[in-house]
Amino acid sequence: MPETHPTVDAYISAQPEATQRVLHEIRRIIHAAVPGAGEMISYGIPTITIGGHYVVYFAAWAHHISVYPVPRGDEGLATELAPYLSGKGTLKFPLAKEIPLDVIAKVAAQLASEKKMEN
């Protein structure tokens, strides 16, 4: 059974040191892009929320960071995300390369906008 963590801090702390630094930066950039967002663990991974509803998930893997889901409807953003697409709803960012925090910020902002339109 996979290890579960009660908080985002606990999840990040359980990762290798270099990955922790990346996760802290991703967390920071998402919160900057989604002011007033909350956070929790959902499906065993960090989840950024608005009003208790998920907006964006992020997770550490052995060789990459994944961000879920992929926003829809913005063709310019879709083009920018194309190199990172892995499957229908996942973005993968290799740990061996510089993580494009600006792209993750755009994803978070777009997903927050979509979530606000749903509610």
Side-chain angles (χ1 to χ4, degrees), residues 95-112:
L95 286 166
K97 296 182 178 180
E98 187 172 339
I99 303 292
L101 296 174
D102 60 326
V103 171
I104 294 172
K106 290 176 188 177
V107 166
Q110 179 66 28
L111 289 169

Side-chain angles (χ1 to χ4, degrees), residues 14-73:
Q15 306 305 318
E17 189 174 328
T19 303
Q20 286 181 37
R21 287 192 294 273
V22 173
L23 291 172
H24 281 300
E25 280 300 301
I26 289 171
R27 181 189 201 184
R28 181 190 63 76
I29 204 75
I30 292 174
H31 276 286
V34 186
E39 60 183 33
M40 62 190 229
I41 295 291
S42 182
Y43 298 107
I45 60 174
T47 307
I48 304 302
T49 63
I50 295 176
H53 300 281
Y54 85 86
V55 174
V56 62
Y57 301 87
F58 60 99
W61 299 94
H63 302 288
H64 68 276
I65 300 293
S66 289
V67 174
Y68 321 84
V70 177
R72 306 281 180 223

Side-chain angles (χ1 to χ4, degrees), residues 64-89:
H64 68 276
I65 300 293
S66 289
V67 174
Y68 321 84
V70 177
R72 306 281 180 223
D74 182 327
E75 290 303 317
L77 183 57
T79 300
E80 199 169 352
L81 297 177
Y84 307 106
L85 283 175
S86 176
K88 187 175 177 181

